[in-house]
């Protein structure tokens, strides 16, 4: 697990490395807001209700959150920053592995606080404005991953196209695994669900060069593949992978 | 080109098959709105401005459009309906071909009116609210494609995961091609740009079984593939494909 994973802020998660003197006003506000959203509904809760519950002035809210929606997702901005920082240093990783690891930062932010994450998931399903907000955030993650991949693949020769398709695939796979876990009420192994989903993308798009070179194969090893001519391409890929041992 | 392509409504596009007697109030409103957005900016234009320009009452606007944003994208609802109808009948097509053809309905809606589409693209880049609206629409297209693929692949055995990853890939590829064309100012061949982008997804995810069986191969044909053990997976796929002639 990369060091970055721990920097993501999650309501209710204590972080011993955060400076103790910093007033947790932002967290107090986020928690007051979320409790009110659960009690009264998102639309029925005003910013005035939130600041009254938190015991602060109205201006304090807007100092920390541009909108009510932002208070529901107080952790994404920091996670986006962490993702960007992680990718900036991921120069030696195989590109698809790098963006998969970057996506796992989002998962860990959710799985660090299952109760909050599941409650928020249910709230978001009920409030169209929150779903829209979430789509914008997901798009920013996707663009962050795509930007990194463009840097690795280059803008020309379909590099940008490949970057965007892979970024979308990683996000879709990550969210499939995350949703599976959220729908289960936060039971089971969230990381396993996401690893499994990301594995499908890696098998199709990952070069696997770094991994296999490091583990078992010498330069110049070859694989001989025999497949029925009408076989589905993804099955062919699975077969190849089982032969060259990427998993 | 499927028959469905022609049903998508595009401002400024005449459609001889639409009943002539139907009052084009919706189109008049959309055109008035769009001209005002270009002249004054989206935020600066009110619904009152729009109905004044169109010469109708305020209620007429909300009869056709739930919001100002909807008036910027008057054609997506119909296109979504067309996509759903197209997919409902696409039972014999190879699944990835089917969703690629479905995505092309969106492209044709844009390419039928290049001037409008390019102006709208530029407007959307400038107005955050329109970008958010567009994300919601894109998500609905993606969910439509994923729903179809789940039906084809089945919910179990990773069918849903594969459906979501492929739907996201098709949307990302389509939008890459579409954006390339929009950024060029609507010059060049939009269909070619999107076909090229979708080809990358088809090569990786399409089964190709129907195509190759229909054209050249007899049952039981085999392919022998030799590849360096560290070769990137997508290159291996490209090589296989060139041998079995999927393109």
């Amino acid at each position: 697990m990369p060091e970055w994973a721990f920097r993501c802020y999650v309501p209710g998660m204590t972080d011993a490395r955060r400076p103790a003197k910093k007033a947790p006003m932002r967290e107090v506000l986020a928690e007051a807001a979320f409790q009110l959203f659960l009690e009264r509904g998102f639309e029925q809760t005003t910013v005035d209700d939130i600041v009254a519950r938190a015991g602060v002035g109205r201006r304090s809210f807007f100092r920390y959150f541009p909108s009510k929606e932002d208070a529901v997702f107080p952790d994404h901005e920091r996670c986006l920053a962490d993702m960007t920082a992680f990718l900036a240093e991921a120069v030696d990783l195989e590109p698809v592995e790098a963006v998969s690891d970057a996506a796992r930062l989002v998962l860990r932010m959710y799985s660090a606080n299952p109760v909050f994450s599941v409650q928020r998931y249910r709230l978001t399903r009920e409030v169209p404005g929150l779903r829209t907000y979430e789509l914008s955030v997901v798009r920013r993650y996707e663009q962050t991953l795509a930007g990194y991949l463009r840097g690795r693949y280059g803008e020309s020769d379909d590099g940008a196209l490949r970057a965007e398709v892979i970024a979308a695939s990683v996000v879709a796979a990550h969210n499939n695994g995350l949703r599976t876990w959220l729908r289960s009420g936060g039971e089971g192994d969230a990381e396993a669900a996401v690893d499994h989903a990301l594995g499908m993308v890696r098998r199709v798009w990952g070069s696997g060069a770094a991994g296999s070179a490091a583990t078992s194969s010498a330069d110049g090893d070859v694989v001989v593949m025999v497949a029925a001519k009408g076989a589905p391409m993804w099955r062919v890929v699975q077969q190849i992978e089982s032969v060259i041992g990427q998993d």
Side-chain angles (χ1 to χ4, degrees), chain A residues 112-127:
Chain A
N113 196 335
V115 174
F116 171 68
S117 295
V118 169
Q119 286 177 327
R120 178 170 67 182
Y121 174 71
R122 291 172 183 162
L123 181 68
T124 303
R125 293 310 91 188
E126 292 165 9
V127 183

Side-chain angles (χ1 to χ4, degrees), chain A residues 30-223:
Chain A
E31 285 176 10
F34 196 73
Q35 286 309 316
L36 284 164
F37 296 155
L38 292 183
E39 290 167 25
R40 305 181 187 177
F42 179 80
E43 302 293 355
Q44 290 74 38
T45 302
T46 66
V47 170
D48 286 331
D49 296 334
I50 297 166
V51 296
R53 172 74 60 98
V56 299
R58 187 178 165 84
R59 278 195 180 175
S60 297
F61 184 86
F62 291 107
R63 196 176 304 142
Y64 292 102
F65 301 109
S67 68
K68 274 202 305 182
E69 284 80 0
D70 289 277
V72 179
F73 302 97
D75 33 11
H76 281 304
E77 286 301 332
R78 192 182 306 201
C79 207
L80 273 159
D82 287 351
M83 182 182 278
T84 302
F86 169 75
L87 290 172
E89 295 193 9
V91 288
D92 294 328
L93 286 176
E94 192 280 323
V96 178
E97 288 294 335
V99 289
S100 296
D101 284 350
R104 287 186 180 94
L105 296 179
V106 181
L107 170 73
R108 294 202 186 104
M109 180 182 68
Y110 280 80
S111 64
N113 196 335
V115 174
F116 171 68
S117 295
V118 169
Q119 286 177 327
R120 178 170 67 182
Y121 174 71
R122 291 172 183 162
L123 181 68
T124 303
R125 293 310 91 188
E126 292 165 9
V127 183
L130 292 179
R131 281 211 301 280
T132 306
Y133 182 95
E134 198 174 40
L135 282 180
S136 300
V137 174
V138 170
R139 178 68 182 154
R140 289 172 67 199
Y141 284 121
E142 188 177 322
Q143 287 177 319
T144 301
L145 303 183
Y148 169 80
L149 290 172
R150 275 195 299 272
R152 296 294 302 268
Y153 295 144
E155 296 280 347
S156 59
D157 291 335
D158 281 340
L161 170 61
R162 192 147 59 100
E164 285 163 26
V165 170
I166 293 175
S169 300
V170 164
V171 167
H174 171 276
N175 288 352
N176 176 283
L178 175 59
R179 259 197 317 273
T180 299
W181 177 75
L182 290 169
R183 281 186 188 145
S184 78
E187 302 291 321
D189 187 340
E191 296 235 7
V194 167
D195 284 349
H196 173 76
L198 288 172
M200 182 182 277
V201 177
R202 193 190 62 232
R203 279 193 293 274
V204 170
W205 286 112
S207 78
S212 44
T215 52
S216 63
S217 45
D219 281 353
D221 278 7
V222 295
V223 172

